[in-house]
Every structure is written in structure tokens, then in C-alpha cells.
Amino acid sequence: MFRGWMSSKKAAFTGSTHSLDAAAELANLEQSMKAATHIMNDDLESAEAGLNEGNSSYHKLGKGVVAFLRAALGFEPEIMKEAAERLAEAETTASADYKRAQKETQVYRSSIYPPGSEFSLCHAQSQLMSAVVGLLNENLMEGLKSFYKMRKAFMALDAILEAERKYMQSLADKSDSIAKSSSLTSLNTTGSRESGNAMPGGFGDGMSKSQELPPIPRSVPESTPNSVPKSEKTADSDSGTDSPDNFVDADEGNQDATASATNGNQNDADRVTQQFAATSLRSPMSVTSSAPFTPRTPRTPLKSSLDLLEHNPESDIFANPIDRFVHSGANLCFGMLLLILSMIPPAFGKLLYIIGFRGDRPRGVRMLWQASKFQNINGAMAGLILLGYYNGLIGFCDILPDTPPPEALESDPYADLEGYPQQRLEALLVDMRVRYPKSNLWLLEEARMEASHKNLGAAIDLLSGSGKSPLKQVEALSMFEKSLNAMYSHRYELCCESFLECVRLNNWSHALYYYIAGASHVQLYRQAKTAGDSATAEKHAAHAAELMGHVREHAGKKKFMARQLPFDIFVVRKLNKWEARAKEWNIPFIDAIGISPHEEMIYFWNGNKRMTASQLQDSLDNLAWSEDVTQNPTWPKESLDEQAILAVLRSAIYRQLGQYEKARELLKKEVVSHEKIEFKGGLKDDWTAPTAHYEMGACLWAEREGVDEAEREKEGAMERDRERVREAEGWVDKAGKWEAYELDARVGLKIATGLDTLRAWRGKWDEGYVKP
């Protein structure tokens, strides 16, 4: 299906015959990076043409990226096979170049990294992409091999970052030595003067008094093969706080750090908002008239000298493009791994033992933000991941860190990274749009941002008026996003049309697409029936039955690690359940459908979080239809699990409306008070019981009083909040330890994020708490 627009010639492996001379290597890097720019402008053909001009590790990595994107977004078996071959070739070439770099003297010698680190990075990046392709493969053995590749890539990246740590330690030791020498000299002089010795990267004349390096411990714990490296933690242990390391533009001059931090935040906020509006993808943008926007970083004291995350691309430390490539690439890959591993649902926890490492979300996010500063393919990919993370994954979860007040950003301008940093994301989107003006990827991200702000209509308009992308992969992603937004907005006909268009554009989960399209007509049937329009009701009933009839023929065609997709299993079971009820109750199929499947899908995609109060009320009205015996006479026959679905969906809406006590009482009465065995067996919906426990925790988290400092000062507020959060952790932890159930991985993502948030809050505010 996709062969016409994904076609490309396979490059035959010719061995590592290119020169490793430092000048030639730099030329190869720059040429491949220039060609790779086309990738983020939706122009893979131009990217491929440019990358075919060279035979270096960089060129082959770039060609692997092109094939990987085609494979990851198209899911065509032939394309995935081609991607695997290209990435294997890139691995082989990078490995050979790495070995040559250990021996040959004319290669580039970095002051930061060991010889050949750039090729080690190329090898690790190829392995990571190859691992993803292997996971998309429907073979279990290939999936297991993928986790082994992830482990090897993790270790290679860890070694690169350890080299950075040691380099920064050497600078700190040198700075400490200079400071001691300066102190001795000052004993024989009067007044004060600044040293004339400037350290690389802005540690000298680029630093104000408030930025002088703190004392560095003489011994720093080494990272071990089976743990996350500890170099990021040095600042926290030195400062005695748990706050993340600051990102500081150490190479910029500054007269008054405190004044800059205090006075500049509001100007930055206004400037970001204005530029975001000016470069909105709703209207054409003149790229030539705009320089890439980088928000000015308020100047604050350095917390750690062991962290290159404090430096911008313009720093003297990154004077050589190869060092910039290594630093940005290592932060991209390692940050992405730490983030992904931190969000693995409890049901997949054993996979962490295969990989041998654990995730670290705060550090992973910081590293991705660092990589996004660099104007190369690594920076663009990091920006794309960050936007997808905040507007997608974070938008999917409920129990999240609080957004810090503006005054907190004055002392720590990056304190908002774990919540939803709206202004920072808007600035990032502006920057990426300027860098890559021809790509519809950034329009997709702007639409997601609008949806996260409850502007579903604006999101749909953006996706409807964007025009077609040269890449059908991007077009397919945009159409899927439009379909979801139409579903949340209760625009049933548009939802149906859009999901059917998804069937044409990609081959991922046709069963799910047909199911949701059919569910839209179920809702239209119920509306027409309530209005007394029997002719229209019959028409929609026929459409629903027809679309639902396509589900089984498409279910099970796509697999992940040799297993059926969870949603495919779910929708087939639902059909079996409704057909059994229709036969048992001797009623038409359309009337045997239980609680609104449309609203159920909204819940599973957490669409409630993106809906306005009036849209949430529409959802409540849809759910109320099931209990109206004048419209639905079968309600008295409904089973406990169906009543539990109604309770869970209602409680989630009540939570979004701020009716927390009402939500919790409903869950206790209809779900939690029953034994779990009552929801199991046959064609029952067993997901409601563990999900109800999660919802109890989500309500308690949202119900806290002391979200801001003023509220925390109220008498008894913090103690009441501690009780709420303790109870919330108990509910969510119980849900996380639940036995296997339908869609447990999907709910598990919320649980994993929620537990991290709850435990972090207790670690900060609940004295004596010890994190498990």
C-alpha cells in the first residue's frame, strides 16, 4: 500500500573505506547533518539523496533514520525489513570506525570524549532504532533481541556521559586550584580584583560572583553497569535539596544574576506568547524574517559543575561540531531511554530486569530539553519527543506534579519541567517551526497543544486546514489526532468519517478504527430514537451494525511481540458480549449494546481531560440514556460489570468537574464495595475494578487544598493533604499490584506516573516518609 511513497533504493554495504582524517570526518558530519535537515521538513526523498552522496558512519546512520521513520510510521513488513538491514549496516560501519579510531592518529581527538566516541554514539543510535523495529516485528524472539540491544546501547551511552562527567570534574578541580591560588595572592593585596584566567565554557569571565563554582567533593561515586549513572545527582547531594539541576547559559556575560532572573521572567513570558501567536500554523509564516527563538535563561547560581546540561550550544566547550553532535545525540538517546523506562507500566516491570536499568523521568526530561537546544537532527528529534511527551503522554495521565508558582521559577527557572511548562513548550514549538517550516509535524503538535488547553474546535480546524503532507505517515498521524478530537467533541459524523480515513492511511489497528466509527453511529442511533425519529434511528443502526461487522475480520492482523494488540482483544470481546446478550434477551444487536461505547473510548484515551464543562455535560447525558428505561428497557437486566462501567465513567467526569466527593462515593458504592471475583469470568469487563481503585486515588490527589503556598499556610491544610495523599497512594498502589486484566498496560501507564508523583510529593512534604 505504501510502497509508492516509501520506495527507495537499498544501499549495498561497501565497507568502511572512507577516510577517518579529522577534516574529512568533520566534512562528512556536516554534509550528513545538512541532508538530515530534510527529514524534519517532511522531505525524506531529498534527505536520502543527500545522504547517498557519502559512505561514512554519519551518512549510513542518516539513511538508517530515514528507513526507521518509514518503518515506525508505516508498519509495512517490507519497509521494516529494509530498515533492519540499513540499521544493521550502520551498526557494522560505526563499529568498524570505532575500532579504527582507537588505532589511527589522524582521527579527531576530543578534549571531552575518548577517541571514537562519535562512532560509539552512531552505533548506539542504530541499535536503539533497530530495537524499536524489532519490537514492531511480530516475532517474539526479535522482541527479546531488541531489549538486549537496548541494554548494549544504554551501556555505550552511559560511557559517553561518564566521560563528560570526568571532563567537568577536571575543570572543577582546575577551577578549585585557581581559586586557592587566588586566595593566597589576595592575602598580600587590598581590595578585590577578578582573575584573568578564563575557564573553557564560560567558567571564567562569563561568570558572575553568584555563579562561582561551589566546592567539589574529592570523590564522586562511579556509575555501575546495573544502575542509572549518578553524575546527575551530585548537585542534589551537595546542595541538600531535591530540586533538579539548573540549565544555565554559562557562556553568556551577566552583570547581575539575581536581577536578571527576577526582572526577565515576565518579559520572556510576553515575548514567547507573542511569537507563538505570530508563528501559529494557522497562517503563513515568513521564515526569512524570523530568527530561531531561544528563551533567555534567567541567571542563577550553578548548582553543579559536573553537568554539561548547564551549557548552550554556543559554549566554548562545544566549539567543535563533532562534540556538539556527540553531546546532543547522547542526551537525546539517553534521555529518551530514561523517560521511556520510567513510564513502563507495572504489568511490564519484568522487562526492566531484561534491560538491566531503571528509568529516571526528571533526568530524562532534562536531558531531552538540553538536546533540543542544538540545531541539528538530534535537537529536532528531542523537540518532537518533548512535545509528544507533554501533549500526549502527560495529557493522558491525571496524577501529575503541581505547576510551580511564578515566584518559584525565579530561583529555579526549570522547576516546571515535571509538570506542564506551557510557555516553554510554546517557545519550543516556535523554534522548531522556524527551523523546519515545511513540516506538518509541528502543526500536529500545535493541534495537540490546543487540545490540551481544551480548545478541541481549534485543534480540529488546524488539522483540517493544514493541507496534505508529502509524507502519508504524517498525514495518517494528523488524521488519527483529528479523529480523537472529533470523538471528544461529540462530533459523531466527523469522528466516523475520520476514523474510516485512518483505515485508508495506515495499517495499524483497523479493528479499533471500525469499532469507534460504529460506536459513533450507536450514539447517533440513540439520539434519533430519543427524538422519536425512527427512520433516522434505523439508518444509524444499520450503519453501526455494518461497521461493527468489519471488526473481527481485521482484529489480530497486527501483533506486538507475537501477541495481539490489547484493543483488538477488547473490541472483539465487546462484540461477543453484545451478540450474546442480543440472543439471550431476544432483541436487536443495536439494543443489546450496553453503556455508551463512544464514552468508554473517550475514557480510555482520557478525552475528559481535554473537554470543556459543556462537553462533559454532554457525556453525562449520553451515560444517563442507559438508565432511562423508557429508552432502554433492558437496564434492569444489566449485570454488575456493566453498572460498574457506568460508575467509573461517571466518576471520571465528576472528577473533571471538581465534584470529588460525589465521584468517590459513587465508586465505593458501585464498584469498590464488591469483591473482585464478581467482575471476572466469561465476557465480563474486568478492567473496572482496578480502574476504580486508580480513580479513587486520582480524586484524592485532585482534592488537595495546599496546591499553592497561600493555601498551605491555612491551619490544618497540610495535615489534611498528607492524609489524602497517603490514602491516594494506597489506592493507586493496590491498582498497580492487581492481577492481569484487560487493557492493564494502558491503565498501568497512568498508575506508574501516578505512583511516581504521589511518592515524590510525600518525600517532599510528608516527614519521615521513605520511598519504596
Side-chain angles (χ1 to χ4, degrees):
M1 172 181 174
F2 294 125
R3 196 62 183 169
W5 48 270
M6 284 184 169
S7 60
S8 62
K9 296 180 180 179
K10 295 182 183 179
F13 178 54
T14 58
S16 183
T17 59
H18 53 276
S19 172
L20 285 188
D21 173 81
E25 183 186 345
L26 182 57
N28 283 328
L29 174 63
E30 292 179 340
Q31 183 190 47
S32 60
M33 288 295 101
K34 181 178 180 181
T37 300
H38 295 292
I39 295 174
M40 304 312 297
N41 264 327
D42 295 359
D43 189 359
L44 298 190
E45 296 303 323
S46 294
E48 188 124 40
L51 292 166
N52 280 332
E53 294 178 6
N55 197 38
S56 71
S57 289
Y58 305 120
H59 289 86
K60 291 187 177 182
L61 174 63
K63 286 187 278 189
V65 171
V66 171
F68 168 75
L69 289 175
R70 286 173 168 154
L73 299 176
F75 304 110
E76 288 289 330
E78 291 184 10
I79 301 301
M80 286 196 284
K81 181 181 178 182
E82 179 180 339
E85 292 172 355
R86 284 196 182 188
L87 290 167
E89 182 180 334
E91 283 185 55
T92 301
T93 303
S95 179
D97 283 348
Y98 175 78
K99 292 175 182 177
R100 290 172 62 192
Q102 308 304 304
K103 303 175 183 178
E104 299 185 12
T105 58
Q106 73 274 23
V107 298
Y108 169 66
R109 300 289 176 175
S110 170
S111 59
I112 305 174
Y113 309 103
S117 291
E118 61 271 36
F119 304 121
S120 178
L121 173 64
C122 290
H123 189 262
Q125 288 182 312
S126 299
Q127 283 185 315
L128 286 176
M129 289 184 286
S130 181
V132 173
V133 172
L135 290 173
L136 295 176
N137 194 299
E138 298 177 3
N139 184 286
L140 177 60
M141 186 55 65
E142 289 299 319
L144 294 176
K145 288 180 181 178
S146 295
F147 287 112
Y148 178 68
K149 284 190 174 184
M150 282 188 185
R151 175 178 170 79
K152 291 178 68 178
F154 203 117
M155 295 175 72
L157 294 165
D158 183 34
I160 292 173
L161 295 170
E162 176 65 6
E164 289 188 354
R165 186 197 68 78
K166 289 181 177 179
Y167 174 75
M168 297 307 290
Q169 178 71 65
S170 69
L171 290 185
D173 290 343
K174 185 175 180 180
S175 177
D176 192 31
S177 176
I178 292 173
K180 288 181 179 178
S181 175
S182 177
S183 297
L184 291 173
T185 303
S186 67
L187 293 175
N188 300 318
T189 62
T190 57
S192 64
R193 60 182 177 86
E194 296 187 11
S195 170
N197 297 319
M199 296 298 294
F203 283 102
D205 58 354
M207 293 173 58
S208 67
K209 285 289 183 182
S210 65
Q211 291 174 289
E212 290 177 357
L213 296 174
I216 305 299
R218 284 295 175 266
S219 62
V220 180
E222 298 288 335
S223 61
T224 60
N226 291 310
S227 66
V228 175
K230 299 180 181 179
S231 58
E232 290 277 39
K233 300 179 182 178
T234 306
D236 293 343
S237 61
D238 291 344
S239 63
T241 67
D242 292 326
S243 57
D245 292 354
N246 289 331
F247 294 50
V248 179
D249 299 340
D251 59 313
E252 294 179 4
N254 179 55
Q255 298 299 319
D256 188 339
T258 306
S260 175
T262 305
N263 299 331
N265 284 340
Q266 187 57 49
N267 292 336
D268 279 346
D270 295 340
R271 187 153 56 98
V272 168
T273 303
Q274 292 168 6
Q275 282 207 258
F276 182 64
T279 57
S280 170
L281 298 175
R282 302 187 188 111
S283 58
M285 183 184 68
S286 172
V287 180
T288 57
S289 63
S290 301
F293 174 73
T294 303
R296 180 180 56 75
T297 305
R299 308 290 276 154
T300 55
L302 290 174
K303 284 187 177 181
S304 169
S305 64
L306 305 183
D307 197 350
L308 278 182
L309 300 188
E310 296 166 348
H311 295 268
N312 274 350
E314 297 78 16
S315 169
D316 293 342
I317 290 180
F318 303 122
N320 191 288
I322 294 177
D323 288 341
R324 289 199 293 272
F325 169 74
V326 174
H327 178 72
S328 60
N331 277 276
L332 163 66
C333 296
F334 206 77
M336 179 177 64
L337 273 173
L338 291 177
L339 182 61
I340 291 173
L341 293 177
S342 72
M343 302 186 75
I344 288 182
F348 289 88
K350 290 183 179 180
L351 294 180
L352 293 178
Y353 292 101
I354 298 175
I355 302 172
F357 296 94
R358 62 181 175 83
D360 185 339
R361 186 177 309 141
R363 184 186 178 198
V365 169
R366 291 199 303 272
M367 296 180 81
L368 287 168
W369 277 107
Q370 172 68 2
S372 72
K373 298 177 184 178
F374 291 76
Q375 297 199 23
N376 55 24
I377 186 66
N378 294 328
M381 291 298 294
L384 194 61
I385 291 169
L386 284 168
L387 289 166
Y389 166 70
Y390 284 110
N391 293 322
L393 291 174
I394 287 294
F396 177 72
C397 300
D398 306 292
I399 305 176
L400 297 167
D402 300 317
T403 301
E407 56 270 19
L409 298 179
E410 294 175 5
S411 58
D412 182 0
Y414 289 87
D416 58 342
L417 293 187
E418 290 188 56
Y420 185 87
Q422 179 175 336
Q423 292 177 358
R424 190 185 306 279
L425 289 169
E426 290 179 353
L428 177 63
L429 186 56
V430 169
D431 189 17
M432 292 299 168
R433 176 57 174 161
V434 172
R435 292 192 210 176
Y436 309 102
K438 297 179 182 179
S439 177
N440 278 6
L441 279 170
W442 313 114
L443 180 145
L444 170 63
E445 294 303 334
E446 184 176 357
R448 285 175 173 169
M449 194 175 289
E450 290 283 9
S452 70
H453 298 159
K454 302 182 185 293
N455 299 326
L456 292 172
I460 291 173
D461 290 344
L462 276 170
L463 295 169
S464 299
S466 61
K468 290 188 176 181
S469 169
L471 294 181
K472 285 193 177 180
Q473 303 102 316
V474 177
E475 186 182 349
L477 287 172
S478 298
M479 183 56 65
F480 182 71
E481 194 69 23
K482 178 180 176 180
S483 304
L484 290 177
N485 290 332
M487 181 173 73
Y488 308 150
S489 304
H490 302 106
R491 295 171 64 171
Y492 306 114
E493 292 182 351
L494 178 62
C495 177
C496 177
E497 293 170 3
S498 301
F499 272 112
L500 291 180
E501 187 67 10
C502 287
V503 172
R504 182 184 70 82
L505 289 172
N506 76 63
N507 286 338
W508 184 237
S509 185
H510 287 183
L512 176 64
Y513 302 157
Y514 278 116
Y515 179 86
I516 299 179
S520 297
H521 279 286
V522 171
Q523 209 59 53
L524 289 168
Y525 161 78
R526 292 180 175 181
Q527 285 185 349
K529 185 178 179 182
T530 302
D533 188 346
S534 57
T536 301
E538 289 178 7
K539 180 186 71 172
H540 288 302
H543 283 318
E546 178 186 0
L547 292 168
M548 294 285 190
H550 290 301
V551 170
R552 284 195 184 88
E553 65 184 270
H554 292 283
K557 288 188 175 182
K558 288 293 177 183
K559 291 182 172 62
F560 180 75
M561 292 186 67
R563 299 177 63 183
Q564 276 190 271
L565 300 179
F567 264 125
D568 281 11
I569 298 172
F570 176 83
V571 297
V572 170
R573 181 193 59 77
K574 294 292 271 192
L575 290 180
N576 292 338
K577 181 179 183 180
W578 298 335
E579 288 174 350
R581 286 150 55 104
K583 183 177 181 180
E584 179 185 350
W585 297 343
N586 193 28
I587 57 176
F589 171 80
I590 191 71
D591 292 324
I593 296 174
I595 305 302
S596 169
H598 187 96
E599 295 300 328
E600 195 175 43
M601 283 293 110
I602 288 177
Y603 176 79
F604 281 125
W605 291 95
N606 208 7
N608 297 331
K609 190 175 179 181
R610 297 167 172 82
M611 294 159 62
T612 62
S614 63
Q615 289 165 338
L616 291 169
Q617 185 58 53
D618 289 341
S619 287
L620 288 174
D621 293 342
N622 287 342
L623 295 174
W625 186 92
S626 294
E627 291 180 309
D628 185 353
V629 293
T630 63
Q631 301 297 328
N632 181 32
T634 62
W635 177 250
K637 302 178 183 180
E638 285 293 3
S639 58
L640 176 63
D641 69 306
E642 201 72 21
Q643 295 174 21
I645 296 174
L646 180 61
V648 170
L649 300 188
R650 271 183 172 161
S651 67
I653 296 171
Y654 290 152
R655 173 167 57 80
Q656 292 295 336
L657 292 171
Q659 301 173 24
Y660 308 121
E661 185 175 354
K662 187 176 183 180
R664 288 190 288 109
E665 290 304 315
L666 178 62
L667 289 168
K668 288 178 182 178
K669 178 183 177 182
E670 301 292 342
V671 189
V672 176
S673 61
H674 297 277
E675 296 294 328
K676 66 169 67 175
I677 192 67
E678 297 181 62
F679 300 97
K680 297 176 62 177
L683 299 173
K684 293 179 181 178
D685 285 81
D686 64 352
W687 58 271
T688 52
T691 304
H693 284 71
Y694 166 80
E695 284 293 332
M696 289 288 293
C699 285
L700 288 162
W701 174 254
E703 201 171 357
R704 289 170 303 132
E705 302 170 59
V707 175
D708 57 51
E709 189 173 352
E711 293 295 325
R712 285 196 295 270
E713 295 298 324
K714 292 183 179 179
E715 184 177 356
M718 282 305 295
E719 187 52 44
R720 290 190 293 271
D721 280 354
R722 289 187 188 98
E723 289 299 323
R724 291 186 181 102
V725 176
R726 289 167 193 162
E727 185 180 351
E729 184 183 358
W731 286 108
V732 179
D733 185 55
K734 187 174 181 180
K737 294 176 180 176
W738 211 269
E739 60 198 69
Y741 57 92
E742 204 169 43
L743 298 179
D744 53 3
R746 191 165 193 81
V747 180
L749 178 61
K750 292 182 174 184
I751 292 171
T753 305
L755 282 175
D756 278 354
T757 301
L758 293 166
R759 289 166 178 169
W761 190 96
R762 291 194 65 192
K764 182 177 181 180
W765 298 107
D766 200 346
E767 186 176 354
Y769 173 73
V770 179
K771 186 175 180 179

